[in-house]
């Protein structure tokens, strides 16, 4: 803001705002608000400040604000400025004025405009007229404004303008405050619409939300409008009704008023059509009942009020019963008494004829039944009209609120016209919940009206006038229930009169009892044309009768049930002779004599399969007839193009398994089983039906389910899985399960003749499939299965596939060699090399007696040498045996070359490195033993008398030697043929001797497999020398050659020294032959006496 404006503002703020500094002689402007000075919060308002033509600048001021507002628009041609507030808030309320400036100075301020903002307080007020908003022209009326909020003041507004001075709100109830306003005298030439507001004295420009709008209805002198209701003035609770108001003069507004309301009905719901308006009530309730009037307002004023419309709601209370005290079929002129009864204590009963009030009677109470009733007498006087009656009950305190109307009672006038025909579609036997249509057809001529009457009902069931030119009526029951069951007749009526009654139609409801019955053919549902079959209907429910139905129509008379087993009842029906040119579909039902039209749920539908003369269809299974358990399978049936239906039948079933109606005319049908179980296994046939009748049955499809019995058998070839072309092989199938039969399949999965199982001493069962001829064409792989006699189509898991190879293709003989040799030690590595002189890309290595190749190798690229290496590491004893190899082409893997020359691989004891480790270990322990013996002998020699002449030798056998020997014998690992047992020897020398030898001692006389040899020689202690081999007995084999030949003897010569201390020591060994008996008698010598 520039300094000039700041100074101007300062001067203005220090002057009296109502007396501007430069007012001079200029006229003051006018200020008004559009749409008015009472504005709801959130709305917009515009201030118009209008001055003379010389006005150049306009300002708007608000009391309490130091700033002024600049115009948002300036209309120079109209000498006015517009100040707009687009979104009014509470702080916009207050007192406003404006001024303008011209070349002559600043004008005087305008008059003050007070802007009121409503809706600041959300507590709503209620405005009503006391006693009624209906006022006669020239009269006064009192309006009451009521609030639950304790506002200080209340103000009355008429058409958006203040109508009266504010009135203080007085407390009228504990939670209500009110103010009264007097209005009048009213005139009929204007509208009187009011609202009221509340506010606090502390903020008089901040008002509450508006009350309801109350319009006074001034009864004028213009012609009154007409009021009526559609579809009538008696409306069922919850239904809609439309109130119409029609005036004779062009009308600006219609108002509908209900007696007793504090204000007219909501005007916004009235839709105006030329000279009439309608008010729709979408759902009639008790609150809508009452006496209604309508008013209209024209440019000249208000009309008189209309006549009264009394609106009644029905269905609020329980309906009474309207009965005719005789047959509802009467003759003209007969007096008929109708009785309206209820167990509710209604004060009044009202009878309507054709929905119009006929008569009203006060109720009385029957002393015996305690029912409230009223009797009405009527007399039909003409054939040309209908006589339809209802009755209602109501209370004196609320005469427009009625009970539900009784069932419609229409008197049927028995005439002489030709009786109509009556039938039901789709039939007279209908499942509970399903729909049925009852057709009544009369004679052609005048358009008749038809009446359906159920026997035992007090009134006709339904009536209908056909809309088309036809002469029949259709009575539909959307959902069949128990109460619909019964015997029906129909009547027709036209301008001539009434017809005779029709023949009876008996309508039956099925599924009333949930206990289902079962229908089956006693022997089989497959019947030859012209034959008979007996059907059996069985139930666990104690039904008194059974009935057989064919294609939803009764087929046989009822048959009484009979007990056969505890809690089982049954009945038999004979059907025949059957023909092949129609379908024979049956169901049966059970029911009780006491309610013969209420039947059980239907049995299964049983269709007889009539073996006809037409060409039989073809049946097959995809992917095949041999299916693994829980896998999907589809059974196909293919007939002729004329086939209408296909049926699949499984042998042994009491009814067909699957039925399919042909729709796309592709002359075949599929029946899918998504997950096969043992229940699906068996023999299947299919039938087809066309316009000419039934075909012959198809060939039989045997559907086998495998994998049901766990534990697959083992399949092997005898004598070998490799056979020359044209040769024969025997296949052996073995299982640990006790199967009764075994069967074999080849590459095409065709079954071989099953073989009865043989049981062997091992507890296994086996079967041989002998002399199977093998050709050069592929016939494998083969698999075998086991099954039991009582379920021949339920098989075990398949054996592993066995491929039979044909040798001689190509006609070459490969060469097989072993590296490093055929004698192999345990743990070593070996390589078998198979070479072919002809080009092959696959080599197979077979071991004698094996059912499958031992090793298989396919060359990744064309090897110019045509050879393959089969490397085996860490050889075990199981590797031993005879081997051959073959060459083959991957394009024909079952064709092999001639076999190579067999190679025998022998697996012997430990490997060389293992032998070296054993040798080093033995040498170490022997050295340790010798040192121990040496120390013991030296110690004993020093403690004994050297002059003794007698020598004693004591031998001690270790206690664990026998055990150790046995454990060595039981070992499965390669070991030396002779087991050593070392004995300790104590030698006493009492005289000098140059040499001494101990013979073999028989310390184990009972065990001839163990011998002891010892050699003793006295010597002087000196450094040990190597034992001379000459001291070894010549009869003993060399130690290096005894391994593996049955025995070993260790003999050590005593060393001599220069030391004068003589000592004798010895080493003794037990020879224990492991493989074979070693003869040691040549080494035995008698001891010297």
């Amino acid at each position: 803001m520039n300094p000039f404006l700041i100074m101007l503002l300062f001067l203005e703020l220090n002057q009296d705002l109502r007396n501007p500094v430069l007012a001079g002689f200029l006229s003051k402007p006018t200020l008004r608000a559009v749409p008015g000075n009472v504005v709801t919060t959130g709305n917009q308002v515009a201030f118009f400040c209008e001055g003379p033509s010389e006005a150049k600048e306009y300002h708007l001021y608000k009391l309490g604000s130091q700033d002024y507002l600049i115009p948002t628009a300036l209309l120079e041609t109209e000498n006015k400025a517009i100040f707009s507030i687009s979104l009014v808030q509470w702080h916009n309320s207050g007192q406003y004025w404006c001024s303008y400036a011209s070349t002559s100075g600043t004008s005087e301020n305008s008059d003050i405009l007070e802007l009121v903002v409503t809706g600041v307080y959300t507590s709503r007020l209620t405005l009503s007229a006391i006693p009624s908003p209906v006022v006669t022209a020239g009269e006064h009326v009192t309006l009451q404004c009521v609030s639950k909020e304790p506002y200080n003041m209340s103000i009355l507004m008429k058409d958006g303008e203040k109508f009266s001075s504010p009135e203080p709100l007085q407390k009228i109830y504990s939670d209500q405050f009110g103010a009264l306003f007097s209005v009048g005298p009213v005139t009929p030439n204007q509208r009187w619409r009011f609202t009221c507001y509340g506010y606090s004295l502390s903020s008089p420009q901040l008002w509450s939300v508006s009350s309801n709008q109350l319009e006074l209805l001034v009864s004028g002198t213009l012609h009154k409008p007409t009021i009526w209701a559609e579809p009538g003035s008696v409306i069922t609770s919850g239904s809609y009704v439309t109130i119409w108001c029609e005036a004779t003069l062009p009308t600006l507004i219609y108002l509908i008023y209900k007696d007793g309301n504090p204000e007219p009905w909501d005007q916004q719901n009235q839709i105006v059509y030329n000279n009439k308006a309608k008010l729709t009530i979408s759902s009639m309730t008790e609150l809508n009942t009452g006496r209604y009037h309508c008013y209209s307002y024209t440019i000249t004023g208000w009309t008189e009020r209309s006549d009264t419309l009394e609106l009644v709601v029905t269905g609020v209370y329980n309906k009474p019963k309207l009965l005719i005290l005789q047959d509802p079929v009467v003759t003209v002129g007969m007096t008929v008494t109708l009785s309206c009864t209820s167990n509710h204590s209604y004060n009044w009963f009202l009878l309507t004829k054709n929905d119009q009030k006929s008569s009203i009677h006060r109720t009385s109470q029957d002393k015996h039944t305690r029912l409230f009733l009223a009797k009405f007498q009527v007399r039909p006087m003409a054939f040309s009209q209908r006589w339809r009656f209802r009755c209602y009950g109501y209370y004196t305190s609320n005469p427009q609120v009625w009970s539900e109307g009784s069932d419609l009672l229409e008197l049927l006038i028995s005439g002489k016209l030709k009786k109509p025909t009556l039938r039901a579609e789709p039939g007279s036997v209908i499942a509970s919940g399903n729909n049925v249509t009852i057709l009544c057809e009369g004679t052609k001529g005048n358009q008749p009206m038809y009446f359906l009457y159920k026997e035992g009902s007090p009134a006709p069931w339904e009536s209908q006038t056909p809309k088309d030119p036809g002469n029949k009526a259709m009575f539909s029951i959307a959902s069949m229930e128990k109460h619909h069951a019964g015997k029906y007749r129909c009547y027709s009526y036209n301008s001539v009169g009434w017809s005779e009654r029709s023949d009876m139609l008996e309508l039956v409801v099925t599924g009333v009892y949930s206990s289902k019955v079962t229908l089956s053919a006693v022997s089989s549902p497959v019947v030859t044309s012209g034959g008979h079959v007996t059907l059996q209907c069985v139930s666990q429910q104690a039904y008194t009768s059974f009935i057989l139905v064919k294609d939803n129509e009764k087929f046989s008379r009822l048959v009484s049930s009979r007990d056969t087993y505890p809690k089982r009842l049954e009945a038999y029906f004979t059907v025949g002779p059957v023909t092949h040119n129609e379908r024979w579909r049956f169901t049966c039902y059970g029911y009780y004599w006491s309610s013969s039209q209420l039947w059980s749920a239907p049995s299964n539908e049983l269709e007889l399969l009539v073996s006809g003369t037409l060409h039989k269809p073809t049946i097959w299974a995809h992917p095949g007839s041999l299916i693994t358990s829980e896998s999907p399978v589809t059974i196909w049936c293919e007939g002729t193009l004329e086939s209408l239906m296909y049926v699949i039948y499984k042998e042994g079933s009491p009814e067909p398994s699957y039925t399919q109606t042909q729709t796309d005319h592709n002359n075949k049908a599929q029946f899918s089983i998504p997950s096969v179980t043992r229940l699906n296994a068996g023999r299947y046939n299919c039938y087809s039906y066309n316009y000419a009748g039934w075909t012959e049955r198809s060939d039989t499809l045997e559907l086998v389910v495998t994998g049901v019995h766990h534990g697959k058998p083992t399949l092997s070839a005898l004598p070998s899985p490799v056979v020359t072309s044209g040769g024969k092989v025997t296949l052996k199938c073995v299982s640990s399960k006790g199967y009764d039969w075994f069967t074999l399949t080849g590459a095409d999965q065709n079954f071989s003749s099953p073989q009865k199982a043989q049981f062997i001493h091992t507890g296994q069962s086996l079967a041989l499939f002998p002399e199977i001829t093998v050709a050069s064409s592929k016939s494998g792989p083969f698999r075998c299965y086991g099954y039991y006699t009582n379920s021949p189509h339920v098989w075990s898991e398949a054996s592993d596939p066995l491929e039979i190879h044909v040798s001689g293709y190509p006609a070459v003989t490969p060469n097989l060699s072993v590296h490093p040799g055929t004698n192999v030690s345990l743990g070593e590595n070996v390589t078998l090399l198979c070479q072919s002189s002809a080009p092959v890309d696959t080599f197979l290595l077979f071991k004698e007696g094996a059912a499958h190749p031992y090793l298989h190798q396919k060359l990744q690229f064309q090897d110019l040498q045509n050879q393959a290496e089969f490397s085996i590491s860490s050889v075990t004893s199981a590797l031993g045996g005879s081997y051959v190899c073959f060459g083959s082409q991957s394009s024909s893997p079952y064709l092999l070359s001639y076999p190579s020359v067999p190679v025998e691989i022998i697996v012997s004891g430990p490997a060389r490195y293992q032998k070296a480790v054993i040798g080093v270990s033995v040498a170490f322990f022997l050295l340790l033993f010798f040192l121990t013996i040496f120390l013991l002998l030296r110690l004993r020699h020093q403690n004994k008398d050297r002059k003794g002449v007698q020598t004693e030798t004591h031998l001690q056998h270790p206690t664990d030697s026998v055990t150790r020997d046995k454990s060595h014998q039981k070992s499965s690992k390669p070991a030396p043929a002779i087991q050593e047992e070392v004995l300790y020897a104590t030698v006493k020398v009492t005289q000098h001797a140059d040499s001494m030898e101990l013979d073999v001692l028989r310390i184990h006389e009972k065990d001839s497999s163990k011998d002891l040899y010892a050699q003793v020689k006295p010597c002087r202690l000196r450094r040990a020398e190597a034992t001379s081999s000459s001291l070894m007995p010549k009869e003993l084999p060399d130690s290096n050659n005894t391994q593996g030949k049955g025995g070993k003897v260790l003999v050590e010569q005593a060393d001599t020294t220069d030391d004068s201390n003589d000592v004798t020591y010895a080493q003794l060994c037990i020879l224990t032959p492991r493989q074979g008996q070693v003869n040691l008698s040549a080494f035995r010598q008698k001891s010297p006496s």
Side-chain angles (χ1 to χ4, degrees), residues 376-426:
F376 304 88
Q377 287 189 338
V378 296
R379 176 183 288 184
M381 297 303 296
F383 286 102
S384 59
Q385 60 178 296
R386 297 174 63 187
W387 298 81
R388 297 174 297 174
F389 298 94
R390 288 185 196 273
C391 75
Y392 299 86
Y394 65 89
Y395 299 98
T396 305
S397 60
N398 208 350
Q400 285 94 25
V401 179
W402 294 358
S403 70
E404 185 180 355
S406 68
D407 293 332
L408 180 69
L409 174 62
E410 180 158 7
L411 300 182
L412 302 179
I413 311 300
S414 181
K416 298 180 180 180
L417 300 179
K418 184 179 179 180
K419 66 182 177 182
T421 59
L422 186 64
R423 71 179 189 277
E425 289 183 356

Side-chain angles (χ1 to χ4, degrees), residues 233-235 312 314 320 322 338 340 349-361 376-378 386-394 402-411:
S233 60
V234 180
I235 305 298
V312 174
T314 69
L322 181 62
L338 306 182
C340 187
F349 281 116
L350 181 144
L351 184 70
T352 63
K353 176 193 172 193
N354 299 333
D355 294 329
Q356 299 297 320
K357 289 181 182 180
S358 175
S359 61
I360 299 174
H361 283 280
F376 304 88
Q377 287 189 338
V378 296
R386 297 174 63 187
W387 298 81
R388 297 174 297 174
F389 298 94
R390 288 185 196 273
C391 75
Y392 299 86
Y394 65 89
W402 294 358
S403 70
E404 185 180 355
S406 68
D407 293 332
L408 180 69
L409 174 62
E410 180 158 7
L411 300 182

